[in-house]
Amino acid sequence: MVGKRMKHEKMIAVTNRSLCDPKRYFEQIEKISALHPQMLVLREKDLPVDVYIDLAKKVQKICDEQGTPLVLHQYVEAVIELKHHAIHLPLKKLQKLVEAEDATWLLAKETLVRIGTSVHSVDDAHLAKKLGATYVFAGNIYETDCKKGLPGKGLDYLKDVVNAVDIPVYGIGGITPENLSEVLQTGAAGGCMMSGYMKC
């Protein structure tokens, strides 16, 4: 599904090692990065933080070579270690860090310029904005293999989230090159794709 005609500039790539041959993981990251998506989110949340940091260093080098912005996922410690500028956090974790004025979070914020989170309602979107998110993923828009049996919330839902906040909103969940145009018609800044990018 990773092809030359796709509107990669309107797509965010989300990684998942389980979808790719482990021996070809970095090769796949190189291919994705060379397509210049808006961002690449390193979502390998099952890894211990030290292993994640080592992985992030290698992926960062690839992304830097291609000029593709890398967004770390979940691990605030990785932001501090790498002096990184972008992170995507689950909404509940973002809320906990902000409301507790967590020391690690405050230190990470010294380098952060991009803070993302995932939302599942308009109320979530309002909360995300209040907590300092600079963009949100809204989903799931379509039914997807990642969430088997969970009906998609649809394009009207996505449009409601877009209209509710003045930060970029990206649709996630079942987004493909074929349906990206209707996602963009809601006013969304783009779409997120995992399996289409990660399957070798």
Side-chain angles (χ1 to χ4, degrees), residues 23-86:
K23 295 178 182 178
R24 298 178 59 190
Y25 180 79
F26 292 109
E27 177 185 337
Q28 194 67 13
I29 295 296
E30 288 176 0
K31 288 180 180 179
I32 296 166
S33 187
L35 294 170
H36 304 292
Q38 255 190 57
M39 299 180 254
L40 187 148
V41 178
L42 189 62
R43 185 183 180 270
E44 307 295 351
K45 60 182 182 178
D46 61 308
L47 293 176
V49 63
D50 56 333
V51 178
Y52 180 90
I53 289 172
D54 287 342
L55 179 71
K57 289 177 181 177
K58 296 174 183 176
V59 173
Q60 179 71 75
K61 184 177 180 181
I62 294 170
C63 288
D64 285 349
E65 289 171 353
Q66 297 292 343
T68 299
L70 174 66
V71 179
L72 303 182
H73 185 270
Q74 186 163 303
Y75 296 113
V76 176
E77 300 91 339
V79 170
I80 296 170
E81 175 73 20
L82 303 176
K83 295 181 173 60
H84 201 65
H85 63 277

Side-chain angles (χ1 to χ4, degrees), residues 18 27 42 53-54 73 81 105 113 124-125 147 162 165 178:
S18 68
E27 177 185 337
L42 189 62
I53 289 172
D54 287 342
H73 185 270
E81 175 73 20
W105 175 243
V113 296
D124 280 357
K147 297 184 183 292
V162 168
V165 291
E178 290 73 29

Side-chain angles (χ1 to χ4, degrees), residues 17 91 132 186:
R17 296 180 341 280
L91 182 59
T186 68

